[in-house]
Amino acid sequence: MGGPSDPPEGTPEGAPGGGEDEYRSVVFDESFVRAARIQEYSARERITDHAPAVRRSPPRRGGGLSRQALVLVLLIAVAFGTAVYMGARNSYRTPDGERPAEPLRMSVVPLAPRGEVPGTADVEALYARSPAARFRAGAEGVPLPASRSTEHFSADQVVAALLTAKDYLVRSSLDPGVLTGGETRPVRVLLDSGQLDQFDRSFDRPAADGRHASTGWLVRFDPARVKLADPGIRVRGTMQAAEADSATLEVTTDHTFAYALRPADAGRDAPASLFTVRRELRFRFDRDDLRLHQAELVTAHVQAGPLSCAQDTAGRLRPLLAGQTAGKDGPAGTDPYATRGAPALCGSLATGAQPKL
């Protein structure tokens, strides 16, 4: 019997055996012959069946994908298509009972002094002789009220809403980096994502239109003109939470902040003056906001002074400092034909609101 590389019937007579045959490299082995697509019939087959001299071999099943592999690929494709379709549908759905974030409505009212702004180098005396004498310093001036559950929200959820509102007040009114350093991220991260475009626009292009004043979102001084004379800002106010509907909690806050300020280039012996900001804010929370420690700021009403009525308060606050006056500046003009913008407002800072020095 021939070896693996010999013809099926063995080595032809007269031909040298073994690997010495010079034609061995062109002799096809049995596996090659069986794999051929066209095969010759034997002499007996041609005599018996009158068949043609050759026949076509059936195709081999070794090549290509098996039926199981094709089915698996099809199932994967169907599953992937279904996932993409469901994701596209759900990404545009608003959960039942939840509303998209509304734009913040704001007003910033400057309060002009009636005479010179009082001042002294003794910051403690400045506070002690003002209405802020009994205010507490820093975040201690923003205590949480007693809270309880509502019809659709647990006590823990109510506390979460109050804590987020307090964090917003502390970061936007007491953080030195926000007040004079120009930082915005500590406040921005607490906002509902639906309000971020409005927030960014308010700092990129501030405008006194009731929608895009950066001073409606936070307290922001012009660092080229003023600096904090005391980091212990005095605060007093109130907070309360209530259920607006089955899917929404609301927190309302009303706080007055007293800042001791000096000129930006002045030393510690320079007179300091008191600047007062009253902020009335209303926050809204859905369950996603509570989970993410974020809030939707719905309204912000701000009164601040001493300021000149002629100053633009949309971008930064530029307080009048010790010894300065508002002069004869009156409220800025209002164009009744203008199609955009809120009416210019200005108030008078009561004498009793100033330190008695």
Side-chain angles (χ1 to χ4, degrees):
M1 184 173 181
S5 58
D6 293 336
E9 284 75 26
T11 305
E13 293 183 7
E20 300 298 324
D21 186 358
E22 61 179 328
Y23 298 104
R24 180 173 297 277
S25 61
V26 298
V27 175
F28 304 117
D29 61 13
E30 183 176 1
S31 61
F32 180 89
V33 174
R34 289 179 179 176
R37 298 296 301 274
I38 299 176
Q39 296 180 356
E40 183 180 5
Y41 282 90
S42 67
R44 180 173 297 177
E45 288 174 333
R46 291 198 300 270
I47 293 174
T48 303
D49 297 332
H50 304 285
V54 297
R55 62 185 173 191
R56 184 174 296 275
S57 298
R60 300 180 66 192
R61 295 192 178 186
L65 293 174
S66 67
R67 179 177 298 178
Q68 291 86 349
L70 289 174
V71 171
L72 180 60
V73 171
L74 181 60
L75 289 175
I76 292 174
V78 171
F80 180 77
T82 302
V84 171
Y85 174 73
M86 294 303 294
R89 285 190 60 191
N90 291 335
S91 62
Y92 294 99
R93 295 182 61 187
T94 300
D96 294 339
E98 296 183 4
R99 296 169 296 194
E102 296 181 6
L104 168 63
R105 302 186 303 277
M106 64 182 73
S107 63
V108 181
V109 180
L111 303 177
R114 295 181 178 179
E116 280 191 6
V117 176
T120 176
D122 187 348
V123 175
E124 290 301 324
L126 188 68
Y127 281 123
R129 298 178 184 179
S130 76
R134 297 186 179 180
F135 287 14
R136 300 172 74 178
E140 292 184 358
V142 192
L144 294 182
S147 58
R148 60 183 179 181
S149 62
T150 66
E151 183 179 357
H152 298 95
F153 292 88
S154 68
D156 287 344
Q157 289 175 315
V158 174
V159 170
L162 290 168
L163 282 171
T164 303
K166 175 177 179 174
D167 277 356
Y168 190 94
L169 282 167
V170 170
R171 297 187 191 187
S172 64
S173 309
L174 302 175
D175 185 341
V178 171
L179 296 175
T180 58
E183 296 181 13
T184 60
R185 188 177 184 279
V187 179
R188 189 180 190 274
V189 296
L190 292 176
L191 287 172
D192 185 290
S193 60
Q195 293 189 309
L196 295 182
D197 287 344
Q198 183 189 7
F199 181 87
D200 293 339
R201 158 74 191 280
S202 299
F203 292 88
D204 293 338
R205 299 185 301 279
D209 59 0
R211 290 288 189 274
H212 300 99
S214 61
T215 47
W217 297 97
L218 48 82
V219 179
R220 195 181 211 204
F221 298 115
D222 185 351
R225 299 185 60 174
V226 301
K227 65 181 179 181
L228 291 174
D230 180 13
I233 299 158
R234 305 303 198 266
V235 189
R236 186 171 70 181
T238 61
M239 300 177 65
Q240 60 180 0
E243 182 176 305
D245 54 49
S246 61
T248 311
L249 275 175
E250 285 192 350
V251 173
T252 56
T253 68
D254 184 356
H255 288 80
T256 301
F257 301 85
Y259 303 87
L261 303 176
R262 284 193 177 98
D265 56 355
R268 294 180 60 87
D269 295 333
S273 58
L274 209 61
F275 186 80
T276 306
V277 178
R278 181 172 179 176
R279 305 183 73 198
E280 299 174 70
L281 309 179
R282 181 161 64 94
F283 300 90
R284 180 178 294 161
F285 302 85
D286 58 29
R287 286 178 171 78
D288 279 344
D289 290 328
L290 296 174
R291 178 175 55 84
L292 297 172
H293 193 62
Q294 294 178 339
E296 178 186 341
L297 184 56
V298 181
T299 58
H301 299 299
V302 180
Q303 297 175 335
L307 286 169
S308 169
C309 291
Q311 287 286 348
D312 179 9
T313 59
R316 295 181 184 271
L317 300 175
R318 298 174 175 85
L320 295 173
L321 301 175
Q324 295 180 333
T325 64
K328 297 181 179 181
D329 293 336
T334 300
D335 182 359
Y337 295 95
T339 57
R340 296 185 60 187
L345 298 174
C346 187
S348 177
L349 184 63
T351 303
Q354 297 276 40
K356 300 184 185 303
L357 302 174

